[in-house]
C-alpha cells in the first residue's frame, strides 16, 4: 500500500511540475533575458499597454537581434514625423519565424489600426543544426513543424519534448531554477518591469573580439554550414505571409547589413547557400507582391558593436532608410 501511495504522490508531483513549471511561460519569464524568457518579456510589454496605446500602432516589426538593435522606433518615428508609439518592434535575440507566428497570434487581434508588417530575415533562420537545441522552438513548435526537422533521432526527440515538456525543456527549466536560487541567495528575486515605447530595449554592450576575423568566421560557419531551405522555419514563414496577405496588411522583407568583413566572408566561403537564400527571398517577394530590401548605405566598423549588430550610430544611419520603407508600404 505504501508503494501505491508513493507512486500516486510521485505522479501528482510530476503533473504539477509539468504544468506549473515546464509548460509555464511565466516561470521562464522570471529570467527575461533567457531564450524562452524573452517570449514572456514581450508578452508583458504588450499587456502593459492600454487599448488606446495599442490602437496607435501602425507598423509592426518582427525579427532577431539585428532588427532589435537596428530598428529603433524613436529614431525611425523622428524620420517619419510621427509618434514612436506608432511603431512596435517585437524583435528578440535569435528570433525566428516560429517566434513571429506566436507573437502575431498574440498581438494582431489587439492592433485595430495596423497598416503593415516589416519582417527582418536572416540566414540563421534556416540553420537546421541548431533548431533542435533552440529552446523557443522546443516550447512553441507544433507536432507538424517538429516532424519537418530531418532525421528520425531529431524527430523522436522533438516529438517526445512536445508530449513531455519536463523532458523537452529540461535545460531551460533547470537553468531558470538555478538562476532563481542564486538570486534568492543574494537578497531576493526581482523581475524588471518591461517599460518604454516600441519594444524590448536594444543591446548596447560590445562583445570582446566581436569584430575580429575569428569571431566573424565562427558566426558565418554556425549560420551557413548546415543551411537548408524547405524545413520548419521556411514553412512557418510562408504561413505568416499567407496570414498577412489574407488580412490585407502591407508587408516588406528586409535583410539588414552586417560588417563588410562578415558579409564578404559569407559570400566568399558559402556562395551557394547565400545565393539560395537571396533567390528564395526574391521568390517570396514576387509571389506575395511585396518589397524585399537589402540595399543599405555602406557603413564602416564604427557603426557596429560586433560583426552583425549595429550600434546607436549605425541605427541612426538606418533610420531614414527604414522610414522610407515604411512610407512605401
Amino acid at each position: 500500500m505504501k508503494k501505491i501511495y508513493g507512486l500516486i504522490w510521485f505522479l501528482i508531483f510530476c503533473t504539477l511540475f509539468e504544468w506549473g513549471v515546464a509548460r509555464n511561460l511565466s516561470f521562464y519569464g522570471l529570467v527575461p533575458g533567457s531564450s524562452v524568457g524573452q517570449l514572456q518579456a514581450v508578452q508583458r510589454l504588450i499587456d502593459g499597454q492600454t487599448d488606446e496605446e495599442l490602437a496607435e500602432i501602425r507598423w509592426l516589426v518582427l525579427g532577431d537581434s539585428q532588427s532589435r538593435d537596428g530598428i529603433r522606433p524613436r529614431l525611425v518615428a523622428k524620420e517619419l514625423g510621427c509618434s514612436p508609439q506608432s511603431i512596435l518592434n517585437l524583435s528578440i535575440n535569435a528570433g525566428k519565424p516560429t517566434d513571429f507566428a506566436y507573437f502575431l497570434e498574440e498581438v494582431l487581434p489587439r492592433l485595430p489600426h495596423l497598416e503593415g508588417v516589416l519582417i527582418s530575415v536572416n540566414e540563421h533562420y534556416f540553420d537546421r543544426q541548431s533548431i533542435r537545441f533552440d529552446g523557443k522552438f522546443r516550447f512553441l513548435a507544433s507536432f507538424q513543424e517538429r516532424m519537418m526537422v530531418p532525421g528520425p533521432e531529431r524527430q523522436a526527440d522533438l516529438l517526445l519534448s512536445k508530449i513531455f515538456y519536463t523532458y523537452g525543456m529540461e535545460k531551460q527549466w533547470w537553468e531558470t531554477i538555478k538562476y532563481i536560487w542564486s538570486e534568492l541567495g543574494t537578497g531576493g528575486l526581482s523581475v524588471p518591469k518591461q517599460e518604454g515605447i516600441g519594444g524590448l530595449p536594444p543591446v548596447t554592450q560590445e562583445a570582446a573580439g566581436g569584430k575580429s576575423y575569428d569571431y566573424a568566421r565562427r558566426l558565418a560557419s554556425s549560420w551557413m554550414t548546415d543551411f537548408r531551405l524547405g524545413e520548419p522555419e521556411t514553412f512557418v514563414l510562408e504561413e505568416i505571409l499567407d496570414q498577412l496577405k489574407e488580412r490585407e496588411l502591407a508587408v516588406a522583407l528586409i535583410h539588414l547589413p552586417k560588417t563588410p568583413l562578415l558579409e564578404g566572408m559569407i559570400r566568399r566561403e558559402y556562395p551557394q547557400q547565400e545565393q539560395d537564400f537571396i533567390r528564395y527571398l526574391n521568390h517570396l517577394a514576387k509571389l506575395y507582391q511585396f518589397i524585399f530590401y537589402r540595399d543599405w548605405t555602406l557603413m564602416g566598423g564604427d557603426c557596429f558593436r560586433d560583426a552583425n549588430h549595429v550600434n546607436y550610430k549605425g541605427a541612426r544611419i538606418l533610420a531614414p532608410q527604414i522610414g522610407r520603407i515604411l512610407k512605401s508600404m
Side-chain angles (χ1 to χ4, degrees):
M1 186 62 73
K2 287 183 178 180
K3 289 183 178 180
I4 294 176
Y5 281 129
L7 178 60
I8 291 172
W9 280 112
F10 175 74
L11 292 175
I12 290 173
F13 171 80
C14 290
T15 301
L16 291 174
F17 191 90
E18 174 76 8
W19 292 96
V21 174
R23 291 177 179 265
N24 187 353
L25 189 58
S26 296
F27 169 74
Y28 300 107
L30 295 173
V31 190
S34 67
S35 173
V36 183
Q38 295 177 100
L39 303 176
Q40 180 65 12
V42 169
Q43 188 67 61
R44 283 198 295 266
L45 183 74
I46 296 168
D47 292 342
Q49 301 191 53
T50 65
D51 290 341
E52 290 75 17
E53 289 171 333
L54 292 171
E56 290 185 48
I57 295 170
R58 296 171 58 196
W59 295 290
L60 185 65
V61 180
L62 301 170
D64 60 1
S65 54
Q66 274 193 276
S67 49
R68 176 177 174 176
D69 291 353
I71 302 177
R72 308 195 185 190
R74 290 186 184 276
L75 294 178
V76 177
K78 186 176 180 181
E79 296 293 331
L80 290 170
C82 65
S83 166
Q85 183 64 39
S86 63
I87 305 169
L88 180 60
N89 187 346
L90 297 185
S91 300
I92 60 173
N93 294 349
K96 291 188 176 184
T98 45
D99 310 319
F100 309 161
Y102 170 75
F103 291 146
L104 286 173
E105 184 179 351
E106 294 293 315
V107 78
L108 274 185
R110 302 175 63 181
L111 302 179
H113 299 139
L114 186 67
E115 297 177 10
V117 180
L118 187 64
I119 303 177
S120 175
V121 287
N122 206 333
E123 290 88 345
H124 76 81
Y125 293 3
F126 310 107
D127 165 29
R128 71 182 183 126
Q129 179 63 33
S130 66
I131 194 169
R132 176 181 171 187
F133 306 104
D134 181 355
K136 298 182 283 74
F137 184 83
R138 294 177 78 87
F139 191 86
L140 295 173
S142 66
F143 282 111
Q144 182 182 12
E145 290 155 8
R146 292 166 197 252
M147 284 299 294
M148 292 180 182
V149 175
E153 181 184 345
R154 293 178 181 178
Q155 290 176 353
D157 170 58
L158 289 168
L159 289 174
L160 187 59
S161 72
K162 180 67 172 177
I163 299 169
F164 301 110
Y165 274 51
T166 302
Y167 160 78
M169 299 296 293
E170 178 186 4
K171 179 181 178 181
Q172 288 72 30
W173 60 250
W174 179 240
E175 289 179 350
T176 304
I177 288 173
K178 286 195 294 184
Y179 174 83
I180 294 170
W181 184 261
S182 66
E183 288 294 296
L184 292 175
T186 58
L189 177 68
S190 62
V191 179
K193 185 179 180 182
Q194 298 301 330
E195 296 179 334
I197 292 174
L200 300 181
V203 177
T204 57
Q205 184 177 357
E206 295 193 6
K211 299 179 186 178
S212 69
Y213 178 88
D214 287 342
Y215 181 90
R217 188 164 193 170
R218 288 196 304 272
L219 194 62
S221 176
S222 70
W223 289 357
M224 309 302 289
T225 299
D226 211 8
F227 173 91
R228 184 176 298 186
L229 297 168
E231 292 176 4
E233 300 298 348
T234 312
F235 170 76
V236 176
L237 178 59
E238 293 177 14
E239 274 198 330
I240 288 171
L241 297 176
D242 285 334
Q243 178 186 8
L244 297 177
K245 184 175 182 179
E246 186 177 331
R247 286 177 172 263
E248 299 183 341
L249 291 169
V251 176
L253 292 187
I254 60 171
H255 186 216
L256 287 169
K258 310 167 184 67
T259 58
L261 173 64
L262 179 57
E263 290 194 345
M265 189 172 295
I266 290 174
R267 287 195 300 269
R268 184 174 61 255
E269 299 192 12
Y270 305 96
Q272 188 59 56
Q273 293 94 321
E274 184 68 1
Q275 289 171 20
D276 290 345
F277 173 69
I278 298 300
R279 189 182 300 114
Y280 173 63
L281 296 175
N282 280 322
H283 164 72
L284 290 181
K286 183 177 181 180
L287 180 65
Y288 290 94
Q289 299 182 323
F290 56 64
I291 302 168
F292 170 46
Y293 192 90
R294 63 189 185 101
D295 298 318
W296 308 97
T297 299
L298 185 64
M299 294 187 284
D302 62 335
C303 296
F304 293 83
R305 66 175 178 86
D306 61 22
N308 63 310
H309 298 100
V310 297
N311 54 23
Y312 181 76
K313 181 178 180 180
R316 286 187 63 183
I317 293 173
L318 288 176
Q321 297 168 87
I322 297 296
R324 287 196 292 272
I325 293 170
L326 294 181
K327 279 183 178 178
S328 70
M329 292 170 66

